[in-house]
Amino acid sequence: MAGSRLVHLFLLILFVPSLRAAPNTTAVVSRIAFGSCANQSAPQPVWEAIVGFDPQVFIWLGDNVYGDNKRPFRVFGRERTVGPWRNVPRFYPATEEELRGKYELAKANPGYAKLRERARVIGTWDDHDYGVNDAGKEYSGKVFSQRLLLDFLDEDEDSPRRKQAGVYASYMFGPEGKRVKVIMLDTRYHRDPLLSDGTILGDPQWQWLERELRGPQSEMTIIGSSIQVVSNLSATTRPLFYVESWARFPRERERLFKLIDTSKRNGVLFISGDVHFGEIARFDCGAQYPLYDITSSGLTQSVENSVPAVFQSVMRLLAWLTPTPMRVFSPNCRHKSCSYGQPNFGAIEIDWNAVTPRVKIELRDLQGNSVDGVEFPISELKPSNAHANKKGGHSFEAHCSLETELPWLVRHRLALLFFGTIAVFVIAVVLLVIACCSATKLFTRKCKMA
């Protein structure tokens, strides 16, 4: 009987991750990896590079699986999913059984399984694992979606996250003097419709976030948001396309910046996903020190891989032409645009042993090589008299011009280029047709005269 119990205990320790590797939250954390947008049905070579980075913590930033279903891209026909005659949505929700199967497939990936053995895995969701593309509080399946996400993350059965409305959570790692706080936001469960300028977080989550920011201090505070906080790509790409971001809810974003500012919290930076490319953005006028937003997207999904290889250079040119006053441009970038449109992950390294502790944040490719990065003392992320929350011309305020404040021609140059190119092409075709008709008439006349 005792031997049977020992066997059962051994099997539990072997197969239940939460028992096999109980998290030690007091150990010093110096390496954190993060990422988003991982199609469970696609090859996922990125895990080898992430495991090679050897993070102590890995953070999911949403679209951890692509749980919703997608109809074909059709402009014409019975079911038109795009264009002015669209009559059905392109994306529609999966059943609970379908979503569970997709999570099981993702969790069984050998590379990801290896990471789970070595690192503490935490995370939040975005739209495709929440339920359906661009969904918010109106989504009817969010209760079972929350349960399945928390199962995927190996959340304890008695976790508060299983009892609350939404998957927001916080974690404190490290001993005193080397503490890292991670705050995971839920930008889906309570979010009002797009274009409403309503709420993203909802009142309960706002109250919780204020308590977290005003609570015990930490040397660094990483806020994970599934959508971008600093960049406002839609302001410079519309009407060609739009992406979700905090800037689509300007009052909410202003409230977030104000809360960080008034809380006097040290070391705050954002990490985000969603957009299928990577970039590092910075806003110098949101608080009393620069606010960085490091976007890593995606682990499998990327803008360049969504087009034929011959057009990838065109995508990079368009990325360079898109006005982005918040993006950090540096010699560390692989491409001139300082955005990266191939699969990538984010890597944070903290040197606690330096005379002045420093943090290095990078975007890395499938081989684990850096494609973009910034490095600075952690002390740069502290409120001080020199860093006033005003556009007063301080040297640190290099990133204060919002996309919406750019001159009209600059803000819309991508759309002007696109429609201008189409206009030139149409005019060229018309002129060619006229020339062909004229030549045909002339030839006909000559034939008759002959």
Side-chain angles (χ1 to χ4, degrees):
M1 185 73 175
S4 176
R5 288 177 180 174
L6 286 173
V7 170
H8 288 151
L9 180 61
F10 173 77
L11 291 173
L12 281 172
I13 293 173
L14 182 63
F15 290 109
V16 179
S18 60
L19 294 178
R20 182 177 67 239
N24 180 4
T25 56
T26 60
V28 175
V29 168
S30 57
R31 295 181 309 282
I32 299 172
F34 58 94
S36 64
C37 306
N39 188 328
Q40 69 283 350
S41 300
Q44 298 187 354
V46 70
W47 296 119
E48 290 303 315
I50 295 174
V51 169
F53 174 60
D54 194 23
Q56 294 139 305
V57 178
F58 177 80
I59 303 173
W60 281 107
L61 290 169
D63 292 344
N64 313 321
V65 296
Y66 279 73
D68 53 356
N69 297 307
K70 186 166 61 172
R71 294 183 176 92
F73 186 97
R74 285 178 182 162
V75 180
F76 305 103
R78 184 176 179 182
E79 289 189 341
R80 302 178 295 277
T81 56
V82 294
W85 303 283
R86 185 179 71 168
N87 61 356
V88 293
R90 192 170 185 215
F91 295 90
Y92 61 98
T95 65
E96 182 175 351
E97 291 72 24
E98 286 176 324
L99 184 57
R100 181 183 293 109
K102 292 175 180 181
Y103 272 124
E104 289 172 352
L105 180 60
K107 204 168 186 176
N109 183 284
Y112 179 57
K114 189 184 297 184
L115 175 69
R116 290 175 59 232
E117 292 174 356
R118 303 185 181 194
R120 174 79 183 275
V121 177
I122 59 178
T124 187
W125 57 18
D126 198 29
D127 51 351
H128 293 287
D129 43 355
Y130 173 64
V132 69
N133 185 54
D134 290 350
K137 67 181 183 182
E138 76 286 347
Y139 176 57
S140 61
K142 57 189 177 183
V143 173
F144 75 72
S145 289
Q146 177 170 340
R147 182 174 67 254
L148 293 178
L149 170 69
L150 298 180
D151 290 344
F152 175 70
L153 295 174
D154 297 314
E155 195 79 18
D156 292 339
E157 289 298 325
D158 60 350
S159 167
R161 297 179 89 185
R162 292 189 182 271
K163 301 176 178 67
Q164 68 188 25
V167 300
Y168 52 90
S170 71
Y171 307 84
M172 185 76 84
F173 300 101
E176 187 172 353
K178 298 180 179 179
R179 288 176 297 190
V180 177
K181 186 180 184 73
V182 179
I183 297 175
M184 303 303 304
L185 301 180
D186 183 335
T187 65
R188 294 291 161 188
Y189 203 100
H190 301 282
R191 198 212 70 194
D192 283 330
L194 292 171
L195 305 179
S196 69
D197 198 13
T199 186
I200 292 179
L201 301 184
D203 288 339
Q205 190 174 180
W206 272 116
Q207 294 166 10
W208 166 84
L209 179 59
E210 182 170 0
R211 292 194 299 270
E212 293 295 325
L213 290 176
R214 297 188 189 279
Q217 283 291 332
S218 56
E219 282 60 47
M220 289 200 65
T221 301
I222 300 170
I223 300 179
S225 168
S226 66
I227 56 175
Q228 290 186 304
V229 179
V230 170
S231 284
N232 182 9
L233 188 64
S234 297
T236 56
T237 59
R238 61 187 180 196
L240 301 179
F241 64 88
Y242 298 83
V243 297
E244 292 187 89
S245 70
W246 277 76
R248 303 282 296 275
F249 294 79
R251 289 188 295 181
E252 285 283 275
R253 186 170 72 161
E254 183 61 30
R255 180 179 180 181
L256 179 62
F257 292 157
K258 185 176 181 180
L259 178 57
I260 293 170
D261 188 41
T262 57
S263 71
K264 308 296 182 185
R265 184 103 195 164
N266 294 335
V268 173
L269 60 85
F270 299 104
I271 55 176
S272 58
D274 177 58
V275 291
H276 295 189
F277 67 86
E279 69 169 350
I280 298 175
R282 166 178 165 171
F283 186 41
D284 290 344
C285 294
Q288 294 183 47
Y289 54 83
L291 293 174
Y292 286 89
D293 184 2
I294 300 87
T295 300
S296 174
S297 179
L299 295 171
T300 65
Q301 308 304 99
S302 66
V303 292
E304 290 189 16
N305 285 352
S306 66
V307 299
V310 68
F311 292 117
Q312 289 182 359
S313 58
V314 175
M315 298 295 289
R316 292 173 191 171
L317 174 62
L318 293 176
W320 178 66
L321 289 172
T322 303
T324 52
M326 299 299 177
R327 186 175 295 162
V328 176
F329 289 87
S330 76
N332 300 322
C333 303
R334 177 170 295 182
H335 302 310
K336 193 172 182 179
S337 67
C338 277
S339 65
Y340 188 68
Q342 294 282 345
N344 62 86
F345 70 96
I348 300 174
E349 292 183 272
I350 307 170
D351 185 357
W352 294 111
N353 297 320
V355 176
T356 301
R358 299 179 64 83
V359 59
K360 179 167 68 172
I361 310 170
E362 295 177 307
L363 296 173
R364 297 191 176 192
D365 63 15
L366 290 178
Q367 287 72 46
N369 300 318
S370 177
V371 298
D372 192 5
V374 291
E375 183 175 358
F376 50 84
I378 295 177
S379 58
E380 181 180 318
L381 305 182
K382 282 187 177 182
S384 69
N385 293 330
H387 290 180
N389 186 22
K390 297 178 181 178
K391 297 184 180 180
H394 298 299
S395 60
F396 83 101
E397 293 180 343
H399 301 270
C400 275
S401 296
L402 299 174
E403 290 89 343
T404 53
E405 297 172 346
L406 292 171
W408 190 90
L409 286 175
V410 174
R411 192 167 73 249
H412 294 96
R413 72 183 178 200
L414 198 64
L416 292 171
L417 176 65
F418 176 79
F419 291 116
T421 302
I422 291 178
V424 169
F425 176 77
V426 170
I427 291 171
V429 170
V430 170
L431 291 176
L432 181 61
V433 170
I434 292 173
C436 289
C437 290
S438 299
T440 302
K441 287 181 180 179
L442 182 61
F443 178 76
T444 303
R445 287 177 185 173
K446 287 184 177 180
C447 287
K448 288 180 178 180
M449 291 177 63

